[in-house]
Amino acid sequence: MKLKSYTFCMVFTAALLLVGCKNGRPASPFSDGEERPSAELQDSSSVFFGEDLSETAEDVPMPLAADELFDDFFFNFAGNSRLQRQRILFPLKVTDGDGNIMHLQRNEWKTDPFFMEQDFYTLIFDTPLQAEAAKDTSIVHAVVERINLDADFVSQYVFDRQQGRWFLTTIHHEPLAVNHNASFLEFYQHFSTDSLFQVNSLNPLINFTATDPDDEFNTITGTMVPSQWEAFRPSVIPSGTIYNIVYGNLLPEGSEKLFVIHGIANEMEAQMTFRRRHGGWKLMGFSN
């Protein structure tokens, strides 16, 4: 199953909506640090994707349409420290798996770039239908998960749309073992760092689309066996800290996982499909 058209659309749309310009120069309507009422915000028809997100996004208003889709809002939120403070409900509730609660004050918040300082971000879906939720304008709840595989730890940033605008309302920290994707994440932690384990975790036949090793400008689509893994394996298998976005309410862990990699300001698109087999996980196919 491929999400190519969806992934390109999402990344391209989010990238375009991240910044705006007017007469060839960045628009800068903020002078007092406060967010203007929506009626005063001007949506520019001329947009560009700057090379330095931190410098460009800071002076540019978020387009009116960005609150309609969570992805569009979040790219703005992650790339603009001023917008972050405007769209966090302080005092911000922070909880952990032991039931401890603290409240973070506005002056204690430090700008979080999330995945914007790396070349890509990741998503984990149970079905292609879940991926379609990213384009659902009726979604009013979303969770961005920062998954630290090395530390077996997950931080969940909970966002809610209130009166048509998205806000960060809660942060929840929990051990990886209690996450809704715990079984898969524990498997993937090993898979992402151990090449021998990767080979042992392959289905006997794997459907793939990959760069032609003899011609980097072309791709090959076909079926491979585990012994061909090193020749055709995905160019990027994220490890360490990865991300996930849950659109809507959390669902119980399913028996299939679509692990999707989206490029940021580049054309990287990749997907690995895993399926639970005999109590473990197997890689069934990938596109690269």
Side-chain angles (χ1 to χ4, degrees):
M1 290 174 276
K2 297 182 180 179
L3 301 178
K4 186 172 182 180
S5 60
Y6 156 72
T7 56
F8 177 80
C9 179
M10 188 183 79
V11 175
F12 183 72
T13 300
L16 288 180
L17 288 176
L18 180 61
V19 293
C21 65
K22 187 175 182 179
N23 297 326
R25 302 184 60 183
S28 181
F30 297 117
S31 59
D32 56 6
E34 295 297 324
E35 185 177 19
R36 296 289 186 265
S38 59
E40 297 179 19
L41 291 176
Q42 298 299 312
D43 192 5
S44 174
S45 60
S46 176
V47 295
F48 69 97
F49 193 85
E51 294 182 359
D52 188 333
L53 298 177
S54 62
E55 292 182 3
T56 305
E58 195 69 23
D59 297 325
V60 179
M62 187 174 73
L64 294 173
D67 268 311
E68 294 183 6
L69 292 176
F70 178 75
D71 286 340
D72 295 341
F73 158 75
F74 187 74
F75 266 74
N76 283 273
F77 181 86
N80 189 322
S81 61
R82 180 178 294 154
L83 181 62
Q84 282 192 18
R85 285 176 170 78
Q86 293 168 350
R87 292 300 187 91
I88 297 174
L89 295 186
F90 293 107
L92 180 63
K93 183 179 179 181
V94 181
T95 66
D96 63 25
D98 295 325
N100 299 312
I101 300 174
M102 63 171 289
H103 290 87
L104 197 65
Q105 303 299 322
R106 181 182 296 272
N107 61 359
E108 297 175 303
W109 177 259
K110 295 182 179 180
T111 301
D112 192 335
F114 294 91
F115 46 68
M116 297 301 290
E117 294 183 341
Q118 60 190 41
D119 293 333
F120 59 85
Y121 66 103
T122 55
L123 296 169
I124 303 170
F125 300 112
D126 288 326
T127 66
L129 185 60
Q130 284 187 358
E132 291 299 312
K135 298 182 287 185
D136 186 350
T137 58
S138 68
I139 294 292
V140 296
H141 179 82
V143 180
V144 175
E145 297 184 308
R146 176 185 284 127
I147 303 164
N148 190 322
L149 296 172
D150 296 332
D152 298 326
F153 191 75
V154 179
S155 295
Q156 297 178 319
Y157 297 80
V158 181
F159 292 83
D160 293 288
R161 188 159 62 173
Q162 301 180 3
Q163 297 182 336
R165 300 194 297 174
W166 285 101
F167 292 91
L168 174 62
T169 57
T170 309
I171 299 176
H172 177 67
H173 302 296
E174 66 182 16
L176 185 148
V178 302
N179 185 262
H180 61 111
N181 279 323
S183 171
F184 173 74
L185 291 174
E186 289 169 353
F187 156 80
Y188 183 79
Q189 178 184 41
H190 195 179
F191 182 89
S192 65
T193 57
D194 188 330
S195 58
L196 180 59
F197 183 74
Q198 290 173 11
V199 174
N200 292 333
S201 300
L202 302 179
N203 197 53
L205 290 177
I206 304 104
N207 297 317
F208 76 98
T209 298
T211 301
D212 186 337
D214 298 320
D215 183 355
E216 64 180 10
F217 297 104
N218 289 319
T219 59
I220 296 176
T221 298
T223 302
M224 56 168 277
V225 295
S227 62
Q228 297 174 295
W229 174 247
E230 287 302 320
F232 296 105
R233 57 174 284 172
S235 58
V236 176
I237 299 180
S239 61
T241 297
I242 62 174
Y243 286 84
N244 183 38
I245 301 178
V246 180
Y247 304 92
N249 296 320
L250 294 173
L251 299 174
E253 186 172 41
S255 59
E256 183 173 88
K257 297 296 175 186
L258 307 181
F259 188 89
V260 183
I261 303 169
H262 292 306
I264 299 176
N266 60 60
E267 296 182 354
M268 182 187 300
E269 296 177 24
Q271 176 182 308
M272 291 182 282
T273 301
F274 297 88
R275 200 164 291 152
R276 199 193 298 269
R277 285 284 187 269
H278 308 296
W281 291 90
K282 294 289 186 181
L283 179 65
M284 308 300 293
F286 65 91
S287 60
N288 187 25

